[in-house]
Amino acid sequence: MNRIKKVLKKAYDIPLSKEKEAFLQRLNFPKSSYKDFFIYQISYIQKRVWILSTALIGLILMLLHFENITGDALKIIWITSSVLPFIALVAITEISRSMSHNMAEIEMSCRYNLADLMLARISILAAFNFILSNILILGIQGKTAYSPIRISLYIFVPFLLTCLASLIVLNYIKIKETTYICGGISCFISGINALIIGSNQIAYTDKFVGFWVIIFIALMVGIIVEIIDFIRKLEELHWNLQLTA
């Protein structure tokens, strides 16, 4: 199928636009740079994304405070890593919103198409979650003897696994109900993570740190590959829409 797509794309290559930029400059519409477009996307991300993500981090910190579990490293990891998959779900839901609401074709026709829009939103959400992650690690650091690096490995592997699995769903399952599938993935990973911590405490000893590093790096690489594939497929959709216009 991919070979057929490449042959068709080569056979029906769309000619380059003539004087496109000059034409756009003559149009009377608000002109914005890519930087402005990127900043504007912050306001278009739903407020519930910011609120839910922040609330979940706040919930973790409150649980750690009121449970008074300073020194109980495994319980800290259990609470934190079991909640983080739902923060991933919040971000994935926002990314998939155009597909689930049948807005992809409209957004493809805009000056900055859907691929640009998705790349901007993924970057914004990644930066936001990175900030929240640092706040969380600072809140945990004083409650366990683990270093910040080990804390990051243990609590973010389930988060990254949720992101990777959800991106695979977005890439290969083209239905409106992908949000529910991603929600199921988050619940499953959260539950399995809680069971693993309870039954395999040896996995959190010094002996297995290298194993966690390998998993962390593999998940990061997988996420980058899936994001690239996700953006590439959106660009192919843009080409198909131009071809049928």
Side-chain angles (χ1 to χ4, degrees):
M1 181 61 71
N2 288 333
R3 184 173 176 274
I4 295 173
K5 286 182 179 180
K6 290 179 181 178
V7 171
L8 286 173
K9 188 173 181 179
K10 186 176 180 181
Y12 296 96
D13 193 22
I14 300 173
L16 295 175
S17 303
K18 294 182 179 180
E19 300 182 359
K20 176 182 175 180
E21 292 302 322
F23 172 76
L24 290 175
Q25 290 298 325
R26 290 196 297 269
L27 289 178
N28 184 23
F29 68 94
K31 300 176 178 62
S32 62
S33 64
Y34 189 85
K35 179 182 176 182
D36 295 329
F37 160 76
F38 189 90
I39 294 172
Y40 290 154
Q41 287 308 309
I42 297 175
S43 63
Y44 286 114
I45 293 175
Q46 292 180 314
K47 291 182 177 64
R48 69 182 182 186
V49 172
W50 312 115
I51 294 171
L52 284 174
S53 298
T54 306
L56 285 170
I57 293 295
L59 174 64
I60 294 171
L61 294 175
M62 286 177 61
L63 285 172
L64 295 179
H65 176 72
F66 289 112
E67 286 286 332
N68 193 23
I69 52 177
T70 300
D72 191 344
L74 285 178
K75 194 168 185 180
I76 292 170
I77 292 167
W78 175 73
I79 291 174
T80 308
S81 59
S82 296
V83 175
L84 284 180
F86 297 101
I87 296 179
L89 174 62
V90 173
I92 291 294
T93 301
E94 178 62 25
I95 292 169
S96 65
R97 188 154 53 102
S98 293
M99 285 74 170
S100 61
H101 292 279
N102 294 322
M103 293 295 291
E105 289 82 1
I106 295 175
E107 290 175 340
M108 275 293 178
S109 65
C110 299
R111 179 182 178 188
Y112 294 105
N113 60 43
L114 187 57
D116 295 323
L117 185 148
M118 287 299 177
L119 187 58
R121 291 187 182 178
I122 289 172
S123 301
I124 292 166
L125 291 170
F128 179 64
N129 284 328
F130 179 76
I131 293 170
L132 290 181
S133 300
N134 280 284
I135 294 172
L136 181 60
I137 291 171
L138 288 173
I140 294 173
Q141 190 174 356
K143 295 181 177 293
T144 173
Y146 287 150
S147 68
I149 293 176
R150 285 185 67 175
I151 293 171
S152 300
L153 290 173
Y154 296 148
I155 69 175
F156 289 117
V157 162
F159 173 85
L160 294 175
L161 182 57
T162 305
C163 291
L164 178 58
S166 298
L167 284 168
I168 291 172
V169 169
L170 293 183
N171 275 331
Y172 296 101
I173 301 179
K174 304 299 182 183
I175 59 175
K176 292 174 64 176
E177 290 76 18
T178 50
T179 300
Y180 301 107
I181 298 174
C182 293
I185 289 170
S186 300
C187 293
F188 177 76
I189 292 175
S190 177
I192 291 297
N193 172 73
L195 290 174
I196 289 174
I197 293 175
S199 59
N200 295 279
Q201 298 182 8
I202 192 173
Y204 298 88
T205 58
D206 296 345
K207 182 179 178 180
F208 290 91
V209 172
F211 174 73
W212 284 95
V213 171
I214 292 171
I215 293 178
F216 187 91
I217 294 173
L219 290 173
M220 287 295 295
V221 171
I223 288 171
I224 292 170
V225 169
E226 289 301 323
I227 289 175
I228 292 172
D229 191 35
F230 183 64
I231 299 300
R232 179 184 60 79
K233 287 179 178 179
L234 292 177
E235 290 173 344
E236 285 185 358
L237 176 60
H238 189 205
W239 177 83
N240 288 333
L241 289 173
Q242 286 181 322
L243 187 64
T244 56

